[in-house]
Amino acid sequence: TSVSTYDYIVVGGGTSGLVVANRLSELENINVLVIEAGGSAYDNVNVTDTGGYGNAFGTEIDWAYKTKDQEYGGGAPQTVRAGKALGGTSLINGMVYTRAQKSQIDAWETVGNKGWNWETLFPYYKKGEGFQVPDDYSWLEGSGVAYDPADHGYKGPLKVGWSSNQLNDGLAQKLNTTYQNMDVPIPYNKDANGGQMVGYTLYPKTVDSKLNIREDAARAYYYPYQSRSNLHVWLNTNVNKLTWKSGDDAIADGVEVTLANGTTSIVKASREIILAAGSLKSPLLLELSGVGNPDVLSKYGIKTKVNLPTVGENLQDQMNNGLAFDSKTKYSKVPDYVAYPSVGQMFSNATAVGKQLLANLPKYAAQVASANGNVTKSKDIERFFKIQWDLIFKSHIPVAEILLEPSGYTYDTEYWATVPFARGNVHISSADPTAAASIDPKYFMLDFDLQAQAQAARFIRQIFQTEPFASMAGSETSPGLSSVAAGADDQGWSSFIKNNYRSNFHPISTAAMMPKEVGGVVDTSLKVYGVSNVRVVDASVMPFQVCGHLQSTVYAVAERAADIIKNEN
Ligand code: FAD
């Protein structure tokens, strides 16, 4: 069908965008258009194969964004992956479904977002979720799979559960025993999705358990609803920028797009434009439309429509490293075993670490502010850092995610400190919407981020020195004791970590939901400050990093965004 004006245009048919489009199109009198830069990946085996993580990297459905050279993080640029097709990054992610520690979402309210806390978000996590109760426990035996029924939603579109790839006979129990035998035991956590994440657990994934294929945003929120006559999707169409009603007020009336055939045209929206292009794209679309820091915009000849200097700031990601050990047994399946230690479980000297970090916060805040030309203010950053400090040292959120991934005769591990303090940014580097952006996460800018990353590595070494794992594993193959000596200090770990890390692919906060005066870009109804009818609903709006992987929180925020929009109409 061809309609010339839509009520809502959703920019980006990804994880968050398809949720909002689906929910808005439940209203029959509302026309919704989703504009997606990529195509369909419905039959793409690199997407559907539940054991195929990584196969889509570098293909046409991966944006593969490049960062600037990482001054503090090894010097080289990093690749930050993101999905480019209907379904967005949910098509290429690791399918892990974990949420956040309750206190982390409560911190969204502490920072000034009234009404955004765990209690109000928890129902939205559940609303989206279609938890698949494992109906045949025989295949679960020895896998360690467990869950708390109260923590899940059963009627939502997004299938969450386990696939047979996640099984492995008895290893889960041996790892649990190992964690219980550690100097500071890591408690077993039956279900990390109820707001308490600390401990050792086996999480569910976004899989269709019956078909044993990936569940993604398009499969959950679009394909079963594609016959709705008021839900429209344009594929292979790039949104270049917003268009404005004439006059001084910032009222968007549509978007400029480049169609698959290369021609440029304008599509009109009578109500709102909803940005869901991802945290490394949505802020750029604002800048290309004249919403942002005048110093950035004027460099590329873009006239400032709304002076909002923090667009693209506050970028937070995590850094991913891994250690590897020989295994005496051969493994063929792909299980996922995760531990989320708190600071007291990971650092034997947590009190001293906390004291030192607290003393460093003013210096760190000043460093962040000066690195971005004081666009975000040192005193505000310091306050956020104190909130983050409280989360680590008072609420005892997990400080690292430790993943064990056996394959063949190897125990691979992956890990990341969950809440780095570094704040970077993403900005346009040209007025050309197809030009690569300037992406600078400033990995390892602050010492604590290396300290936590190094301690997580020591923690992993400790796992492999604890029975029964100590006897099940052979020697450490990466980095190996000849490369990083036993007992190495942070400096001793530094070059291995900085030369071998990658982005953890969890960039957030580039259009943060916060009060405007402390650097926010959207208000609590996710509307861009100074603009009457443009919202951001993707990972850009999360003010703080969460300890779970991002997608569950992205889905939940988008579910809530849809309700906010509906309630205003
Ligand atoms: P996206 O889902 O990326 O959606 C943005 C959409 O906008 C895309 O479809 C894109 O093509 C489109 N778009 C962009 N620019 C334009 C434009 N100009 N015009 C039109 N369309 C445009 N999270 C987990 O919870 N568990 C995991 O296991 C996990 N693993 C991950 C592994 C990888 C490799 C990556 C990259 C991420 C992973 N994540 C994981 C993170 C999680 O998947 C993302 O945070 C989340 O999907 C982001 O959703 P979004 O809506 O913000 O953006």
Side-chain angles (χ1 to χ4, degrees):
T1 38
S2 99
V3 184
S4 54
T5 299
Y6 298 86
D7 295 300
Y8 295 94
I9 293 177
V10 176
V11 177
T15 315
S16 55
L18 291 179
V19 174
V20 172
N22 174 305
R23 296 302 185 186
L24 291 180
S25 63
E26 287 174 343
L27 305 173
E28 282 170 17
N29 58 335
I30 291 290
N31 267 314
V32 182
L33 171 65
V34 177
I35 306 179
E36 167 54 42
S40 163
Y42 187 80
D43 291 323
N44 187 329
V45 290
N46 293 336
V47 170
T48 51
D49 181 359
T50 55
Y53 179 69
N55 290 347
F57 295 177
T59 70
E60 75 285 355
I61 64 165
D62 175 12
W63 286 95
Y65 298 126
K66 282 275 176 289
T67 71
K68 289 173 75 171
D69 290 350
Q70 287 305 287
E71 185 181 348
Y72 313 95
Q78 289 285 328
T79 302
V80 187
R81 306 200 179 275
K84 184 183 183 180
L86 195 67
T89 303
S90 73
L91 301 166
I92 67 164
N93 71 17
M95 306 185 295
V96 175
Y97 187 88
T98 51
R99 293 168 181 163
Q101 182 95 1
K102 176 180 179 297
S103 55
Q104 293 187 291
I105 304 297
D106 289 343
W108 295 10
E109 184 155 53
T110 311
V111 84
N113 298 304
K114 198 162 181 295
W116 284 85
N117 53 47
W118 176 263
E119 202 185 298
T120 54
L121 198 61
F122 194 41
Y124 286 107
Y125 282 110
K126 290 187 183 178
K127 182 178 182 186
E129 184 183 14
F131 185 74
Q132 302 155 103
V133 175
D135 51 11
D136 176 5
Y137 273 89
S138 60
W139 61 263
L140 292 176
E141 222 168 285
S143 72
V145 164
Y147 66 98
D148 182 340
D151 294 342
H152 297 278
Y154 301 85
K155 295 187 185 140
L158 184 74
K159 293 191 175 77
V160 174
W162 286 273
S163 76
S164 53
N165 292 30
Q166 287 172 272
L167 305 182
N168 208 282
D169 284 349
L171 184 63
Q173 287 77 357
K174 285 178 191 139
L175 185 57
N176 189 28
T177 308
T178 305
Y179 277 127
Q180 302 324 312
N181 288 341
M182 292 207 17
D183 291 349
V184 182
I186 305 301
Y188 171 66
N189 188 357
K190 185 176 176 189
D191 195 328
N193 276 319
Q196 298 303 331
M197 298 190 68
V198 169
Y200 159 66
T201 197
L202 266 84
Y203 45 64
K205 289 190 167 188
T206 42
V207 289
D208 182 323
S209 297
K210 292 235 160 57
L211 300 179
N212 196 26
I213 56 170
R214 171 192 296 270
E215 176 78 342
D216 59 61
R219 266 181 204 277
Y221 283 90
Y222 177 67
Y223 292 115
Y225 306 89
Q226 59 184 321
S227 63
R228 283 183 189 166
S229 62
N230 60 338
L231 176 57
H232 309 266
V233 171
W234 290 3
L235 298 178
N236 302 305
T237 305
N238 195 74
V239 173
N240 300 334
K241 59 181 174 184
L242 306 168
T243 57
W244 301 107
K245 273 198 176 132
S246 56
D248 287 342
D249 290 347
I251 306 168
D253 64 359
V255 292
E256 180 195 292
V257 299
T258 301
L259 303 168
N261 66 10
T263 58
T264 296
S265 93
I266 306 280
V267 198
K268 295 279 184 191
S270 58
R271 295 191 185 209
E272 292 190 13
I273 314 291
I274 294 155
L275 297 181
S279 56
L280 297 178
K281 264 292 167 64
S282 289
L284 306 177
L285 287 165
L286 289 172
E287 290 183 339
L288 290 164
S289 314
V291 180
N293 183 346
D295 292 342
V296 173
L297 307 187
S298 60
K299 255 192 258 174
Y300 308 108
I302 296 170
K303 197 171 155 252
T304 300
K305 182 80 183 171
V306 176
N307 181 344
L308 193 54
T310 53
V311 169
E313 297 297 333
N314 290 308
L315 171 59
Q316 301 165 51
D317 191 10
Q318 299 151 328
M319 296 78 78
N320 182 304
N321 281 105
L323 280 68
F325 300 80
D326 282 330
S327 165
K328 293 176 184 164
T329 340
K330 189 174 180 189
Y331 295 96
S332 55
K333 298 216 171 145
V334 194
D336 280 83
Y337 304 114
V338 67
Y340 289 111
S342 67
V343 75
Q345 290 161 353
M346 199 168 85
F347 286 93
S348 58
N349 57 341
T351 311
V353 170
K355 253 191 168 161
Q356 190 197 24
L357 175 60
L358 191 61
N360 279 334
L361 294 184
K363 189 181 81 186
Y364 284 179
Q367 250 176 292
V368 167
S370 105
N372 67 36
N374 297 301
V375 170
T376 54
K377 303 282 172 287
S378 182
K379 72 167 180 14
D380 298 324
I381 306 283
E382 193 180 328
R383 198 179 131 242
F384 305 153
F385 282 178
K386 180 59 174 35
I387 293 171
Q388 196 166 320
W389 189 93
D390 286 343
L391 287 170
I392 299 171
F393 293 94
K394 289 188 172 164
S395 311
H396 304 289
I397 63 168
V399 282
E401 171 159 336
I402 311 288
L403 279 169
L404 182 79
E405 300 157 339
S407 75
Y409 282 102
T410 304
Y411 290 113
D412 277 321
T413 69
E414 262 184 70
Y415 74 89
W416 54 93
T418 49
V419 284
F421 281 76
R423 300 292 188 268
N425 50 41
V426 53
H427 292 296
I428 51 168
S429 62
S430 161
D432 173 358
T434 62
S438 156
I439 302 172
D440 189 3
K442 300 191 194 297
Y443 297 120
F444 296 107
M445 181 172 70
L446 304 172
D447 298 339
F448 179 77
D449 298 348
L450 176 66
Q451 195 184 349
Q453 197 76 354
Q455 188 62 19
R458 290 185 199 103
F459 179 91
I460 292 172
R461 280 190 168 172
Q462 207 204 324
I463 298 170
F464 284 88
Q465 285 160 12
T466 305
E467 292 299 345
F469 252 67
S471 304
M472 292 158 59
S475 46
E476 181 184 298
T477 53
S478 176
L481 294 172
S482 57
S483 166
V484 181
D489 62 9
D490 293 349
Q491 232 20 62
W493 277 100
S494 176
S495 78
F496 167 72
I497 289 175
K498 292 185 176 179
N499 292 321
N500 292 285
Y501 77 102
R502 62 162 172 84
S503 162
N504 201 41
F505 309 139
H506 289 172
I508 59 156
S509 212
T510 51
M513 174 176 65
M514 293 196 292
K516 188 181 175 200
E517 59 278 11
V518 300
V521 170
V522 301
D523 65 17
T524 52
S525 62
L526 306 176
K527 273 194 177 152
V528 177
Y529 288 112
V531 184
S532 63
N533 61 341
V534 175
R535 294 185 218 240
V536 185
V537 299
D538 58 29
S540 317
V541 302
M542 293 165 59
F544 283 107
Q545 195 54 267
V546 288
C547 289
H549 298 227
L550 293 183
Q551 66 172 343
S552 64
T553 303
V554 168
Y555 280 116
V557 167
E559 283 281 7
R560 182 163 179 191
D563 265 4
I564 293 171
I565 299 167
K566 280 173 157 177
N567 288 335
E568 282 183 24
N569 286 286

